[in-house]
Amino acid sequence: MGTRFEAPALDGTLVRLEPLGHRHAADLAVAAEEDRSSYGFTWVPTAAEVGEYVDAQLARAAAGRLIPYAQVSKETGRAVGATSFWDPRPWPDGEELCAVEVGFTWLAGSAQGTGVNSEAKLLLFRHAFEEWGVARVDLKTDARNARSRAAIEAVGARFEGVLRNWSRSWAPGEDGGLRDSAIFSVVAAEWPECRAALESRVARAVSRRPSPTPPPTPA
């Protein structure tokens, strides 16, 4: 892989992770405004901020710090959220990736609990471990965000501890402040078990989807 940090679109049964672009902005503006009650500790752009949000993510991508994706529902073809690979960390020789973080993740209220998050993590983790050959994948969240912590643990990541004053707080009223971050990871030795569990979760989610309505029978 050399020092390149790039990845293709990643296709699943419930979700397709497409490289983020302005073509997704209209869908993301709708998705972000569906139900914002779960975003208390996570910054998610408002509809009016989506254009600037996409610009900022693309600038980070151009700097080699981020690979941003739109999470596109396979059922509707509409973007229902976003996620990213970021913070690539090479081995000391700089030739290959040692670790990468999965972050900048959010989903519309209607997409939460549908299996989209599980399959997105399956696609991202699989690419990181099986294509890049990383030793670990990191995830982190505000230590106070019980909902996010539970979701991260549900996809098979292990809690490693809390780093105090580790990163910027996105909580309302805490502009310019720092938060304690709960750190999670999946390491390469755990990936086969994690993959099997994620595949099982996705299969259950797919089985719960309503069957498509058949076309009417011609008279």
Side-chain angles (χ1 to χ4, degrees), residues 69-163:
Y69 287 105
Q71 301 195 64
V72 177
S73 165
K74 295 292 289 287
E75 182 177 13
T76 66
R78 297 179 66 87
V80 294
T83 191
S84 296
F85 285 121
W86 81 296
D87 191 21
R89 300 193 302 284
W91 291 101
D93 63 11
E95 289 301 311
E96 295 183 348
L97 279 182
C98 170
V100 69
E101 184 168 335
V102 169
F104 287 97
T105 299
W106 62 273
L107 281 172
S110 62
Q112 296 175 23
T114 63
V116 166
N117 181 59
S118 293
E119 187 169 53
K121 294 300 190 293
L122 173 62
L123 296 172
L124 293 165
F125 292 177
R126 186 168 63 197
H127 189 84
F129 285 115
E130 299 180 15
E131 299 299 325
W132 288 336
V134 300
R136 62 178 279 144
V137 171
D138 304 334
L139 305 97
K140 68 174 182 285
T141 189
D142 192 306
R144 300 166 293 181
N145 193 341
R147 182 189 183 105
S148 178
R149 290 176 66 157
I152 292 171
E153 290 181 330
V155 299
R158 294 194 183 186
F159 174 61
E160 294 187 330
V162 172
L163 298 179

Side-chain angles (χ1 to χ4, degrees), residues 22-37:
H22 284 284
R23 68 188 182 281
H24 300 113
D27 286 350
L28 293 177
V30 173
E33 296 295 343
E34 278 190 5
D35 178 1
R36 298 184 64 86
S37 62

